[in-house]
């Protein structure tokens, strides 16, 4: 009878989840305020909704070293509500995009590491 080989996944580090949350919140808020303060065209809101959260996910994967995509997912998910309320002024689509792209950045970086 064959026995299945089980490999235990390393546990999640809550410090890495908190890092993802804080990095996503900080980078997205700074990018959004930059676009609004300098009165750049609305098309450059892509910096706040795609580029900044992707960078937060990448940084999270480097910080966590292991299971970076999952840490970025949890941190990005937790950051959606504060981004919705405080950064994007109730526009939930932008907040959800920011959370999703944080996850994407962490997952892709984890794959390439």
């Amino acid at each position: 009878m064959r026995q299945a080989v089980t490999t235990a996944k390393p546990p999640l580090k809550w410090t890495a989840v908190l890092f993802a949350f804080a990095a996503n919140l900080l980078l997205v808020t700074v990018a959004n305020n930059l676009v609004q303060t300098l009165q750049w065209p609305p098309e450059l809101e892509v910096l706040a909704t795609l580029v900044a959260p992707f960078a937060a996910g990448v940084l999270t994967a480097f910080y966590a070293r292991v299971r970076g995509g999952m840490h970025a997912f949890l941190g990005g998910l937790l950051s959606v509500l504060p981004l919705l309320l405080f950064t994007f002024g109730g526009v939930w689509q932008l907040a959800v995009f920011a959370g999703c792209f944080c996850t994407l950045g962490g997952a892709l970086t984890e794959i390439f590491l």
Side-chain angles (χ1 to χ4, degrees):
M1 179 184 257
R2 284 180 27 174
Q3 292 182 348
V5 177
T6 59
T7 57
K9 294 180 182 176
L12 293 175
K13 295 185 275 186
W14 289 105
T15 54
V17 173
L18 184 61
F19 178 85
F21 170 77
N24 197 31
L25 203 58
L26 175 73
L27 292 176
V28 170
T29 302
V30 166
N32 187 52
N33 286 343
L34 187 68
V35 169
Q36 289 179 354
T37 303
L38 297 178
Q39 297 178 350
W40 288 347
E43 294 83 23
L44 289 180
E45 190 67 35
V46 73
L47 292 173
T49 55
L50 305 179
V51 176
F54 191 86
V58 169
L59 292 173
T60 300
F62 280 116
Y63 178 79
R65 303 269 183 205
V66 180
R67 298 181 73 186
M70 185 54 108
H71 289 98
F73 168 71
L74 291 173
L77 182 68
L78 291 173
S79 69
V80 168
L81 185 61
L83 288 172
L84 168 72
L85 296 175
F86 302 119
T87 303
F88 293 122
V91 182
W92 64 269
Q93 294 92 339
L94 298 179
V96 169
F97 276 140
C100 291
F101 274 87
C102 182
T103 302
L104 185 65
L108 288 178
T109 304
E110 180 182 354
I111 289 170
F112 289 124
L113 288 177

